[in-house]
Structure formats: C-alpha cells, structure tokens
Amino acid sequence: MRLICHRFLACPSCWRSQCNQALGPAKWLRRPVPRGIRSIYSETGEWEKKYEWETRKKVESWWCTRIKEQFNTTVGIDKSRPKFYVLSMFPYPSGKLHMGHVRVYTISDAIARFHRMRGLQVINPMGWDAFGLPAENAAVEHGLHPANWTQSNIQHMRKQLDALNLSFSWDREITTCLPEYYKWTQYLFIKLYEAGLVYQNEAMVNWDPVDQTVLANEQVDENGCSWRSGAKVEKKYLKQWFIKTSAYAKAMLDALPGLPKWYGIKEMQANWLGDCSGCYFEFMLKVSNKPTGETISAYTSTPEAIYGASHLYILPSHWLLHGNSCLKEILRKEFVPGKDSLTSVTAVNLLTNQEVPVVISAKSEFEGYLDTKIGVPCVQPDDAEVAQSVGLASENVIEALPDGSERLASSGKFTGMSRQEAMSAITQEARNKGVGGHLTSSKLKDWLVSRQRYWGTPIPMVHCQSCGPVPVPYKDLPVELPNITSFTGKGGSPLTSATYWITCSCPRCKGPAKRETDTMDTFVDSAWYYLRYTDPHNSDRPFHKELADYWMPVDLYIGGKEHAVMHLYYARFFSHFCHDQKLTKHKEPFNELLVQGLIKNRTFRLATTGQYLKKEEIDLTGPEPVHIETKEKLQVTWEKMSKSKHNGIEPEEIVQRYGIDTVRLYLLFAAPPEQDILWDTKTDAIPGVQRWQSRLWHLATKLIEARDSGTLPSPQLLNQKEQAETRRIWEQKNLVVSEVTGYFLKDYLFNAAISRLMGLSNTLLQASPRLILHSVEFEDALATLCVMLAPMAPHITSEIWKGLSHIQNKLCTHHHWDMDVLQQPWPTVDPEYDQQPDVVEVLVLINNKPCGKVCVPQEVARDAEVVRELVIQSKLGSEHLQGRTVTKFFLSPRTALINFLVQ
C-alpha cells in the first residue's frame, strides 16, 4: 500500500520539474510573422490592433505558462512582514471539476493576487480531501483499487486546475489519503484519547441484511432500502468510537461574538450549539447492588441541583435495551410500554456518589437529541411527576431566601453557595475528576467517527483482552491501510478480512491483540487540514508551532453554505483542542468566511414520472418546453448543476469557447459571491465582458499608436478645456482606486469592482486624440486600470502591460515598467486627492435642465437620499421644488450631479 500511495507524490514533483523547464528565462525579441496570422506583442514586438478570438487564444497560451509559477511557491518566509492566508475548501477528487469549483477558486485566486500586489506574504494552498465512500464504490463496481481510482482522479483534476491558471501554492499540496498526512490525523486522535475526549459506545447504524454490511446514510434511498441490494434497511447497534465534541460546546459558543466577520454563519453556529447551560455527568450502573462494569452519561439542564436527583431517565429506544449490554434482558423484562417503568437497575453518580434508580420513560423522545436524563424533581416539574408516579422520594436542594435569591441546601460541600456559584463549582469539580461537567446543550450529540469502511484513516487503537482498548504508540504511527485487492460491498468492512494486518501485540502488556477495523469519518481529515498547510512537509510533528502561529488564523475561508455548520463545527473543535494542547496560539481557525452561492441551470422533468431529461430530448421551439417524443409539458426549475439532472456545464468547454479571462470575469461580474448565478439568464454577461476586453485592448492600441506617431507628448500643449478633462480623469481614477480597493478588502463585491473599472474605461474611451497623446493623467489612468484588473483577468492585462511598457516617451515614471503587471504594487489614492475640499458642489437639474448648484459635505456626497434632502432644504430647492411632486431623482456621484423629475 505504501507503494501505491506514494505514487501520488510523483505527479506534483514531475509536474513542477516539467514546468520549471518550460518556464526558463524568456527573452523578448522581435520576430517576423507572416501576414494574415494573428500575433501578440510579447512574441513579436508588433502590436495587434484588434482583440479577436485568435489573439485572445495566443495571449492566454503565451502568458499562462509565464505567470503560472509566480504564486506556486512561498519563498523565504519573513515573519516581520504581514501575511494573508486565503483558503478555499479543498475538493473531493471525484474526477471532474464543475462550474461551482471554478467559481470558488476564481474568487480565491483574485483575492490572493490582490494581496500579493499589496506586498503581503500570501499562501493560497490546495489539496485533496481524498478518503471517502465513492472510491470504495468504484472498487466494488469497476474493480479499481480505491488508491488507483483516487490517484487517477487527482491527476485529472490537477490538469483541469492547471488549465485555469490558478495561483495555488502547489508547494503546500496535501492529500489526506497519503500516510504522511493521516499519520498526523492518527496522532491527533490519540491526543484526544489521552485527554479523555475519545470513547467507545454502542450506536445505531444502517444494516443491510442481504449484503450483511453497514450502510452510510447516503446509501439508503428515500424508501429506506439499500441502494445496492434493494433490501429494507434495518437498525442495528454496534460498538463505535466517539469524539466528545460536546466538551467544547460552551467554549465555542462563547467565542462566537469574537468572530464579527462570520456574516450569517455565526447565527447558524449558535443555533447548532444551542443553549449550553446544562451538562452530562457520568454514572456507574449496578444491579442487585453489584457493579456491572458499565457506565452511562446522563444530561441535566440544572447541574447545580445534582444533589437533588431522584432517578435516571432513559428512553425505550436507548442502547441499553437494544445493544449488547448485560442489562438488556433485565431492562426489557421490567419495561411496560406506555408507562414510566421503575427498574431494579441503579446508577451511581461518580461525582456525588449518590445512587438512584433507572426509570424507563413512557415517552418516545426527550427534548433535543437526548436519550438519557437526570431526574431532579425540585427544579423540574416533569421530573417531579415521574418521581411521584413511580413512588420515588426526592429532596429539595434549592433554598429560597427572603431577598429573592437562592442558595444550595443538602449538597455536601457546596451547601450554602448561590446557584450560580454552585453551578460553576460543581461543573469544575466534575471536569477535574473526569466525570463530566462540560457545559453543553440538549441539542448536541458527540461526534460518531467510526466508519465500517476500508478507504479511510485507520483508527489507531488495538483491543487486548487483558488491557482493553490501547492506543498505538506514537513511534509506530502511521497505522497504514493494508493492500486489499478484493472489494465486494458485502460482509462488513473489507479490513475484517485482513487477518495478517488485524493480528498484533498489545503495546502495553505485549500479549495477543487485534487492531481496530473501523476507519475514521472523512470529516476528521478535513477538521485540521488548514493547520497542516502551514507546515505541510514536516515529518516530525503535525506542524511547527511557530509556523502555525504565524500563518493562523486563516484570514479568509471560502466555501459553500452546505458546510457552514458541521464542517466548521468540527474544524473549530480541533482548533480549540490544539490550542489547549499548546500546539497553537490561536483558538479560532478562521477570521473571516466568504460563503459563495451556487451556479444553477435549468432542469426539465416529466411531470408524470419526475424523470430528468437531456437537452436532446426537449423541444424548445414553442412557447413552453415539451418532451420531443410525447409532447408532454415539462416542469422547469432552477437547480444546482448536476450530471444526474443533465444541467451541468463542462468548464473545459466554456474555457475553450470563451477563454480563461472571459470566464473569470463572467463569474466575478454575474453576481456578488454570496448570490446564486442562474446560468442561462446571465449568459448576456459573457458577451458583455468580451466586448469590454476588446474596448480595453482598443484603449491600449490608441495610446501605443499615439506615442508611436512621431509627435513627442507635451502636457503643456493641452488647452484649458483639455486640462479640465484631465482633471476629471484624475479624479475618477482616484475614486475608482478607492472603491475597488474597498471592494477587495471588505465585502468582495467583484461585480461592483468590475463595474467601476468599466466606468473608468468608458471615460478614457471618450478622450480626444490630443488628450491621449499629451496627457499624463490618461496614461496613468490606463496603467492603473490595467493593474487593478490584473488579479481578475491576469492574461489580457499582462499582454496590455507589456505593450504599454515598451511605448516610447512615457510620461508616468512611478510605475515599474520593467516588471510584469502582476508584480506591480497595488495602486493607492494620490495624496492630493485625499486633501480634496470638505464640500462638493452638486449641479442640480430639474427635468434635465440645470438650475444651479448646492454645496454638500464631502462625506455624504455619494449618499443619494442625504443629497436629495439637502437640496430640497436648500434655498435653491425652496425656489424650484417647493410645492412640486418629485416622481424620481437620480444622483451621479462621479459627475456631482443630481436630476429631479417633477410633475
């Protein structure tokens, strides 16, 4: 298996080696090109006047290889410099990218390039969430080993990503199914076990009685049948591994206010966590006054009143009645359906040493996800009813004082404390003794991480008859997957057949033992991968603390809303745990979240059967789409692109047709990142961004031709009117720099940023030939526009910059013309612009006719409602607008103009 897995490493290194050869020093020189063949300036030294399909293809082909490596490595970390860690959720290597992938990676790529241009040290890492059920299904259905299937898919998806020329830090690439990664997943699992945060318990699973195997939830259809055998799925109890995530629930809830940039997601996390005001306590079970060796956790919402407990309350569906407990038969015999049933089983609280009976509830469910509660009659009326119905006595341990406050009574050493003091003291003591006390809610369950699968991280535990479960020593990690060649999908985990692998010695007593055959939930692999990216090649530890402390937290985490609860919950849990283990300085892993919307396309379904139809099966020529064969009207809905729904768009096809830059600009321009894109209704944006690229190219052509005309540029030759126009160009350039920078730094409204850049280009297109030739401001604005567009459209801007950098008699000396556009510093607002007057004169039009000007404060000059109100209240407003009905008004901040339409 090591050989199989380590073949993964060949792909990135070979690719980098080949790339380095291809990216040797490139010399710019003039070469003759036959007439009629499109050429580009970087290749020939001859500027092509029009940006058409052939030119676009040549530009992207030329620049793709030349800018690819600019971001692919992080050279020489300087910890004195500010950093920016942008991370997009790594993909499962299914074998194909979809347009949703392209969208999220385009966003992260643009942000990474922007921050590097700002002078920050940037990492934008990529890897593969490579364990998972689909690989095992492929092994069953096609006879492919999961490792080979996964490797092949990674290689294919890597080629697809390379074709998009994304600026990933490929030197930090990780693959979760490689031993060098999952060694450290196992290491962290053992750390959790040593901290008392991992335990085994019986839990219910989906059981296929025909194939005799455990099924994941996604393998059970809507009728409750197995997807493979068709058998009705049964519920079965198996002993499985849990991570006690509830122990950190209160800490994670309390940390949410410190995450102001988790827009919308913070509320989802808080709702998932619930009201963390109760806790679990551990109990030892006894029967006939003899310990059974079994323990149980029970929840109470009032931990301070624990000394007033009268009983332990369990549901009829509890594992004690259905699993492999030695108490199962006793409890079943004593249970009377529909009644609260007092049993002969008792439970000893391991904190208070109080012994209470176990009562089986008449209810089928408790609040939240609870199946075990502590009955405390003095504070819970429902518990008092149960105690009374089964004849149990109870004691009131909460004493009310004359001033309205409450204190504890008959509560051991906690007697006399206020309820709040007792709550803190009792839970703290329980935590110190390792018998519960972690504040959590009734909504939360601990994380069941066992999977009866082959293709996952092996759980690093062995089972010894003498010692019980024992963790594998750190020095023996990783516990590698054995090389199993036969996958049938039947009879439980394939690992149970690898007897040579299962048989081992107990690390503690050296006696015979057996390895754990469950593997971990793949969410465990992705719960800490952001930390591994900070130090991906470390063979001595999961990551070096100094590197993690420098790069963490992730400054911007980008992904889908479907991961906004569980994945973030698990990732936060691991981050808090690593902090408590002194592995990291920061508790929270992600400073800011950007949740991108879906890309949706229309789906067509038969109303009679619900079947999704392919495009070739649909007649779209009439007023409504119909089935070609039956002429049946179709149900048309917008849904996430999916192969099974026949509404997917192949990224390669779109890129081939329109080019990388066009696709990038379309995805950024069609909608804000958080919103869905409806593909068909937004295809008008593709021709729009194509035309805009042609206009930008035309602007560069005009400047190049003007400066190559033989006439020397001289700003002194511009007349007063032309100088006023250059002033307007200068002002708009600074305004656009300010706005676009804000969009990149704050709300990531790339559509608005592109719109502002389009506005600046439209202003430049209106410039006269004399202005183009003689104006410093025109040249600077065009160069600045090119630099600001570069993170979003790196290929066309690289070529335009190359053309501009070689023009003669340049007027702007502050640009680094000897460096490529992506190596330029990000533009800043000119100091003079920041010293603009405190007031702005706004030209007032009424029904499109000028009526005068009104001065408004600079800070509100862009707020339409405020400007409208100031104009109406002004002397000009009282003269021209008083008593008239304003039907509409329009403010143009760029030109400082407001137009009122009145009756």
Side-chain angles (χ1 to χ4, degrees), residues 70-182:
Q70 290 186 15
F71 255 87
N72 287 355
T73 56
T74 311
V75 181
I77 297 171
D78 179 1
K79 293 177 184 174
S80 65
R81 286 175 56 197
K83 60 87 184 180
F84 195 87
Y85 183 177
V86 56
L87 179 61
S88 44
M89 294 179 183
F90 64 171
Y92 177 76
S94 60
K96 269 194 171 184
L97 289 180
H98 53 70
M99 289 305 296
H101 286 128
V102 179
R103 186 185 190 190
V104 67
Y105 300 148
T106 297
I107 292 170
S108 68
D109 180 81
I111 292 169
R113 294 186 191 278
F114 162 75
H115 282 289
R116 173 167 274 196
M117 294 171 80
R118 291 181 65 231
L120 276 64
Q121 292 192 112
V122 177
I123 56 171
N124 179 24
M126 175 50 65
W128 311 98
D129 194 6
F131 275 134
L133 190 57
E136 208 157 325
N137 292 339
V140 174
E141 294 167 19
H142 307 297
L144 295 170
H145 194 281
N148 294 337
W149 185 83
T150 304
Q151 177 189 14
S152 174
N153 288 350
I154 287 176
Q155 289 175 341
H156 180 66
M157 291 179 73
R158 175 67 189 270
K159 287 178 182 176
Q160 290 181 301
L161 290 172
D162 287 344
L164 294 168
N165 202 15
L166 299 162
S167 60
F168 289 124
S169 309
W170 284 114
D171 59 327
R172 294 174 180 269
E173 182 181 13
I174 59 173
T175 306
T176 60
C177 67
L178 293 179
E180 49 265 41
Y181 182 87
Y182 69 71

Side-chain angles (χ1 to χ4, degrees), residues 266-295:
K266 191 160 56 172
E267 292 74 16
M268 295 171 69
Q269 283 278 303
N271 183 61
W272 177 266
L273 289 164
D275 178 19
C276 297
S277 57
C279 75
Y280 287 87
F281 289 105
E282 296 286 326
F283 288 79
M284 177 183 67
L285 296 177
K286 297 171 68 175
V287 66
S288 302
N289 209 33
K290 294 180 181 178
T292 64
E294 293 185 300
T295 59

Side-chain angles (χ1 to χ4, degrees), residues 814-832:
H814 63 278
H815 294 292
H816 301 275
W817 295 108
D818 58 332
M819 297 164 63
D820 289 337
V821 69
L822 288 168
Q823 297 170 321
Q824 300 299 310
W826 185 258
T828 56
V829 172
D830 295 324
E832 184 185 342

Side-chain angles (χ1 to χ4, degrees), residues 705-714 717 773-774 808-809:
E705 288 181 340
R707 297 297 172 81
D708 286 348
S709 65
T711 304
L712 289 175
S714 178
L717 297 178
L773 174 62
H774 296 298
Q808 302 299 311
N809 306 306

